Every structure is written in C-alpha cells, then in structure tokens.
Amino acid sequence: MSKIMTGAEMVVQALQDQGVTHLFGYPGGAVLPIYDALFLQKKIQHVLVRHEQGAAHAAEGYARSSGKVGCLLVTSGPGATNAITGLTDALMDSIPVVCITGQVPTHLIGSDAFQECDTVGLTRHCTKHNYLVRKIEDLPRILHEAFYIARSGRPGPVVIDIPKDVQFASGTYTPPKNIQHKTYQPQVKGDLAKIKQAVAMMAKAKKPILYTGGGVVNAGPEASTLLRELVQQTNFPITSTLMGLGAYPGSGPNWLGMLGMHGSFEANNAMHDCDLMICVGARFDDRITGRLDAFSPGSQKIHIDIDPSSINKTVMVDLAIVGDCGHVLEDIVRLWRAEAHQSDPKALKAWWAQIDQWRARKSFGYKKSPTTIKPQYAVERLYELTKNRKTYITTEVGQHQMWAAQHYKFEEPNRWMTSGGLGTMGYGLPAAIGTQLAHPDALVIDIAGEASILMNIQELSTAKQYLAPVKIFILNNEYMGMVRQWQELLHGGRYSSSYSEALPDFVKLADAYGMKGIRCSDPAQLDSAIQEMIDHPGAVLFDCLVDKAENCLPMIPSGKAHNDMILPDFEEDIGKVIDDKGKMLV
C-alpha cells in the first residue's frame, strides 16, 4: 500500500523492505533527517563506527560472510570521501554494498557549500553505479534499483547521494515489486553450445587444471557444491585465487593450494604446463599471471565469467562463456554426466605424477625454531585449534595475509574475508566486526600485522560498544613485513621507513578499550595462549611476537614468469629462484 513519507522515512522503509538488519554508519549534518528516522524504528540496528572507512569495510565483511548486501550511511563531504577506500575495495573484490551519502541541499550544489563535495564525480570510478537524487519522486525507485544493481551480475558497490532537502521533502512511497533496472540485465545463463564445446575440450585434455576465483563464492553455496562435484567426476587438479579460497576444500585431495605471487610451487607450475586451463570466476589478475608473455604458453583457455568486460581483457582465451558461475557449472556437470564423458585415465595419471613431484618440493615449508615463533607456525596452530568450530577469518594486508592464505585450510566458502584487489591495510578489524554481527555465535578472527592493524585501530571501540567478541591475532614482527621483504630481495636491503617504530603496548591498549590482551613469544606456550583467546567470551587483542626476519615464500619476483619462483631453502634459510625442473635461474 502506498504511503506519504519524507525522503528520510523512505530511506529507512526501503532498507527494511530489502531485509536490511544492520546499517554501519557515522552521523553528520547532511544525514541527520535519516538518523532521526532511524531513531523511531526498531527493525534495523545502526552500528556506530569510529571512521567511515570502517563502515565500508564492516559492510564488506558483513556482505562477504553472509551473501547479503552490506549497507552503510555517511554524511556529505569528508564522510563520503572517507568511505571511498572501502568502496574501491568492494569494487575490486566484487562485494555487494549500498552506500547512502548525505549531500548539501540541491540549491547549494556546486557552490562550495560547507561539507560539500562532488560525491557522484568522486565515486564514479570506484563504484558499479551511483546516483544523485534531485527529486523526491525518484527516491523510492533509486533506493531499490541500487540493491538490484549491487547484487546482480558481478556484484559491487552502489552509492546513493541524497541532498538534505530531498530527505525533508514528502512524497509517495510504494512497496517494491520485481525491481529491476531498465538497461542493466546481466546474462545469467551461459550459451549451451559453448558449454558443450567446453565439455568436449575437457574430455580431450591430457593436462587439465581448474583455475577458480571469487566469482564461484559470489555465485552462492550451490556453485561451490557443483565445483566440488565437477572435481570429483573429472579428477582434475584445482587451484584458486586469494578471493576464491574455500570454494573447494583446502583439505581436498585435488587441491594444489593457492596460486599466484605467493602461491604454491605445484599450482603455478601446473598452470604453466597445463594443456587446458578452465578459468571459473577469476579475471587473470597480474598477481596470478606474472609476466604475460610467459603465462601458460602451451594451453588452451576456457574463461567462465558473468562480467563480459573481463573476457579477453588481460589474457586472450580460446573459449569464453559469459554467465553466472553457478548456472554454467550446473550445465557442465549435467552434460558431463549425461553424455558419459570420462577423463583420459592414462594421461591424467601421468599428469598427477608430475604434480606430485612438484608437491614434493613442499614450497610452503619453513624452518621451525624451538625458541622463536615462526609466523607460519602461528597460523598453523591457530588453524588446528579452530578447525572444528564455525570460524570466520578476516585479515589485514601484508605478509600475515599471505601466510594465512597458505597455512589456514578453508573448507567452506564465505569463511575468508580479505582485501584482494586493492590490498587495503586496515581492512581486517572492521571487516571482522561486520562478520561477527552477521554471525553472532561464530568465532571470528582477524589475522593481523602490527602495522596494518593500526590503520583502523579505533574500531576496537566499535567492537566494545556492540559487544562483538572478535579476536585480533597480531603476527607482530615490528616491520611492515611485505615492504621489508621487497626491500631485502629487490632493493639491496635498504629498509627505507619499513620498521614499525613507536608501537603501542597492545596488551595495555586492549586494557584501555576494556577488552582482554594476551602476549606470547614462546612457541611452547603458543597453544595454551591461543586456546585462552578462543575461550574468552569477549573481544581479545593477541600480540603474537614472531620472527622479525622471516620472509613470505614462495614468491614470484616482479617481472618474472609465474613459474619462476623464489622458494625457501631450509638449510640456508634463504630464497632461490628455481624453475619447474629444479634448475637455478638467478
């Protein structure tokens, strides 16, 4: 039934109609009418962050872990500009987010009014779509269109910029019915003829590999189930990008580990030597391909993606299928089974034998120490002590992020929230809060670095206010670790501004925020300290003092091919660049 409402009331009603239960935000003059409308309702919990970037990352964590659209509300000017990092992060990683921003009254737009900025202009290139609402009559349609755009096709962030006079104005609000966009109709079903061609190519392959990405996770749990069924039916090896971890279980027999710059030796070499690459929901990012002219030169390539603009953008492929990963995988599995296709058993046996030789290199291995906690060991122990619980992992960005991806085995999709494309330091803590509020009974852990956590450390206050029992597990090596590593390996050991000086006492900081602080530097006491963190009912800040000089290996150096990797040498504890035959390259 249609109702007369103010614009501010329409915003709240539309959020309720879209099933929004949590709204992350920070008030300011240009959104006070909306905050007033929020005050008068009980269905939506507003979560007061301490910085608008935190609101965006919290909305991302909420969305990524739940499969729903994450929502944030910020004021005009600095409120909007502070959210831009999170919006760009969501765009790069295809996270569905709706961001509502306040704006100065329409008659002041363009006059350099107090707290005015061109929000639509600023966010045009870091959002999937954005709106400036100049008329109350357009507001209901735009509010619901924004959710449709954010979640449909390749997901992403949408901004709705609402001037203050539009929030005060009155108009007619009608509940939505089958909301769509007139021109945005993404292709969901794949071309069946092309899918049949892909199945035929798969049946003929001698050295196939499945290369999967975040698109499988975004397509919903059914897509991950279908992917697992396809692997079981074909016995193909499978690898994944950073964003796709968990779509196939990390303990699965066909799992080669993550690929790319800090991926496994076996995954990168299998990608290089394969004769058929089936790319599902990934976009051939530069962190995966290495030097393009040396990327998997002898393979045919199939690319399945819902975003047509990703096809042939970076790597030319032999067969492109535009469509939702879940729908296309469903057709592939159905046709493979119905047409009684089989992989070439002799060729596949030889392929797996080669892969097992690469696996034997144990490229994620490291030299353990009885006196110093190695960061890899810390992640391994964290995994062992949490693997039987419903656990969600977020990260900041840096070495700790890669160690988490390498050593924490993700068995299910949507359990891994990290900043992939943009690489945003400060992502993990607010993302953990958003994840925790989406899953109040789950264990949520932010694997952090001591430098990255300081980027949005103020969100500890948000965790305290909303009693979010997040656990922040800091791998503290007193360096911006990845910066230091590149300086060591590529810049002659000139550690320019990479040392984390003037660090706070994290245990005292935890106490200042009214939460538990734990510090551990002894490998023998690590398990009991981690268990203490897990068992504590509230938020915990865990300062895990790890080896300061440990490098995150393997690593593809800048400008190298994706099979030219620096690998750990356990005897010398240094890196060597070795090709797939074990020959020293540099």
Side-chain angles (χ1 to χ4, degrees), residues 22 24 45 47 57-63 65-66 389-394 414 417 428-446 462-463 466-472 534 536-540:
H22 292 82
F24 303 92
Q45 180 184 10
V47 180
H57 294 327
E60 285 187 273
Y62 185 95
S65 66
S66 68
R389 302 175 61 116
K390 186 179 181 181
T391 305
Y392 293 81
I393 299 294
T394 71
N414 302 107
M417 277 60 63
L429 174 54
I433 294 169
T435 300
Q436 187 76 78
L437 292 174
H439 308 276
D441 297 326
L443 176 63
V444 179
I445 302 172
D446 172 26
T462 306
Y466 295 95
L467 304 178
V470 295
K471 320 299 183 189
I472 302 99
I534 294 168
H536 184 71
V540 177

Side-chain angles (χ1 to χ4, degrees), residues 30 106 110 323 584:
T106 53
M584 186 77 69

Side-chain angles (χ1 to χ4, degrees), residues 11 19 34 132 152 214 250 294 416 500 530 550:
V11 170
I34 299 174
L132 171 59
S152 301
W416 165 248
S500 298
I530 291 174
E550 189 75 4

